[in-house]
Amino acid sequence: MKKIFITLLCCLLLGLCGCSDTQNKYVIGICQLAKHEALDAATQGFKDTLKDAFGENVEFIEGNAAGDSSACVTICNGLVSDNVDLILANATGSLQAAASATVTIPILATAVTEYGVALGIDNFSGITGTNVSGTSDLAPLSAQAAMFKELLPEVKKVGIIYCSAEPNSLYQVQVISAELKKLGIDATAYSFTDSNDIYLVTSKAVDENQALYVPTDNTAASCADIIDSICRNKKIPVICGEEGTCRKCGIATLTIDYYQLGVLTGQMAIDILKGEKNIAEMPIEYYDNPTKKYNRELCEELNINIPDDYIAIED
């Protein structure tokens, strides 16, 4: 009888351990708007942070929309059907799709510039009060505007190209235009709807301006090679909103570290999954240390002198 009791006790303990493991197994859904360097780095930083915290007890279900916002809707609805524990929405289109798909599953976004614009919240205070929070990739736009005076002092006309389907890009255009105006530089915005018309739009902007600015824009980042082919041929310098785009078509950028932005988002996720914080009360977080970087090859080709406080972008 004693042996039977011990056996039953062992089975019970094993069963409890099994339940504990099951409770601590987290399934995380990821919807990424497009595949390019910045977004890829943010996703990787997020995943690495959760793997470090939970090891084998975290599983990822990933979907990439290849730049198609409607595909984000399909991906996010699928994640909700899978009843994931948390959704990472990488970029604005993913955030909007996730927020429409669920009001109960926690949603952490990353690589979103301005959450009030993305979610249609007037007078946004920094806290949504809903199942949504995350991290912003907004770099200091006034400092980016000042780079034109620092690196291209003769430039008086700047064209700004952006995707009209990305509301956060329009926000950046409005802010950077005002900042350039303060510096005595005329700024003209040129919008494209998708990758199909970026060639014509960029060509027009190049013909009418002395330099270009490309904000943190996912479609532009995905088409940076096209922008480079046009601008390089006409020897038109481009200043970019982030490093991945600058690596392909720009002379310089004031950029954040997207991998570390993903790490920051992952740390927020850990607090939520452990029940230590309520997402409805978590403010949007920002990366605090943007870095001046430059494209060595392109600067040499265009004979642009770079100050010592800029760091060369590594290949």
Side-chain angles (χ1 to χ4, degrees):
M1 184 70 180
K2 184 176 181 182
K3 183 182 291 186
I4 294 173
F5 174 76
I6 292 173
T7 302
L8 289 172
L9 180 61
C10 289
C11 290
L12 178 61
L13 290 173
L14 287 171
L16 289 173
C17 290
C19 290
S20 178
D21 287 341
T22 300
Q23 290 172 349
N24 291 328
K25 178 83 174 184
Y26 302 110
V27 179
I28 309 299
I30 298 176
C31 178
Q32 183 172 316
L33 176 62
K35 181 174 178 57
H36 66 73
E37 183 177 326
L39 300 188
D40 291 348
T43 293
Q44 194 61 53
F46 175 82
K47 290 170 63 179
D48 287 349
T49 302
L50 289 179
K51 287 177 183 176
D52 287 344
F54 300 122
E56 295 181 356
N57 286 326
V58 62
E59 173 189 348
F60 300 101
I61 301 175
E62 300 184 58
N64 191 300
D68 183 355
S69 295
S70 62
C72 288
V73 174
T74 302
I75 292 168
C76 289
N77 286 337
L79 296 176
V80 172
S81 296
D82 290 333
N83 196 30
V84 297
D85 296 300
L86 182 144
I87 294 174
L88 173 70
N90 191 339
T92 302
S94 299
L95 168 59
Q96 293 170 329
S100 296
T102 178
V103 295
T104 55
I105 296 173
I107 300 167
L108 283 177
T110 191
V112 172
T113 305
E114 218 292 321
Y115 281 73
V117 172
L119 297 173
I121 303 173
D122 294 331
N123 302 315
F124 182 54
S125 66
I127 299 175
T128 69
T130 68
N131 63 319
V132 176
S133 188
T135 57
S136 170
D137 62 355
L138 180 64
L141 295 174
S142 60
Q144 288 187 348
M147 294 172 75
F148 283 94
K149 279 292 188 184
E150 183 176 36
L151 303 179
L152 306 167
E154 303 302 317
V155 166
K156 298 300 181 183
K157 295 182 67 177
V158 171
I160 306 172
I161 59 174
Y162 73 102
C163 180
S164 59
E166 298 190 31
N168 278 299
S169 294
L170 178 58
Y171 169 80
Q172 293 172 81
V173 170
Q174 293 169 338
V175 174
I176 201 83
S177 296
E179 294 296 333
L180 288 170
K181 185 177 181 180
K182 292 177 186 177
L183 299 172
I185 299 173
D186 291 331
T188 304
Y190 300 81
S191 65
F192 53 89
T193 55
D194 54 37
S195 59
N196 294 320
D197 60 347
I198 193 169
Y199 185 92
L200 292 176
V201 171
T202 303
S203 297
K204 179 176 173 60
V206 163
D207 289 341
E208 297 177 354
N209 295 277
Q210 299 166 287
L212 296 189
Y213 174 76
V214 179
T216 303
D217 182 294
N218 296 303
T219 308
S222 300
C223 300
D225 290 330
I226 297 174
I227 298 171
D228 180 60
S229 67
I230 300 166
C231 294
R232 194 182 292 249
N233 183 53
K234 296 291 186 72
K235 299 191 180 302
I236 295 293
V238 181
I239 289 177
C240 300
E242 54 88 21
E243 181 177 347
T245 306
C246 187
R247 185 191 307 277
K248 293 183 176 180
C249 71
I251 60 166
T253 181
L254 178 64
T255 186
I256 68 169
D257 186 324
Y258 277 83
Y259 181 86
Q260 292 301 325
L261 191 71
V263 169
L264 181 59
T265 316
Q267 291 167 345
M268 296 175 73
I270 292 168
D271 289 338
I272 294 166
L273 293 170
K274 287 184 174 181
E276 296 175 357
K277 289 187 179 179
N278 178 359
I279 190 169
E281 300 172 354
M282 297 174 72
I284 305 303
E285 298 197 22
Y286 296 81
Y287 183 78
D288 293 330
N289 299 299
T291 304
K292 289 181 175 181
K293 292 193 173 185
Y294 74 101
N295 183 325
R296 189 196 309 273
E297 176 196 351
L298 194 50
C299 287
E300 289 177 354
E301 183 176 326
L302 298 178
N303 296 315
I304 295 172
N305 294 320
I306 298 295
D308 292 338
D309 60 337
Y310 282 70
I311 298 172
I313 297 173
E314 301 296 333
D315 293 331

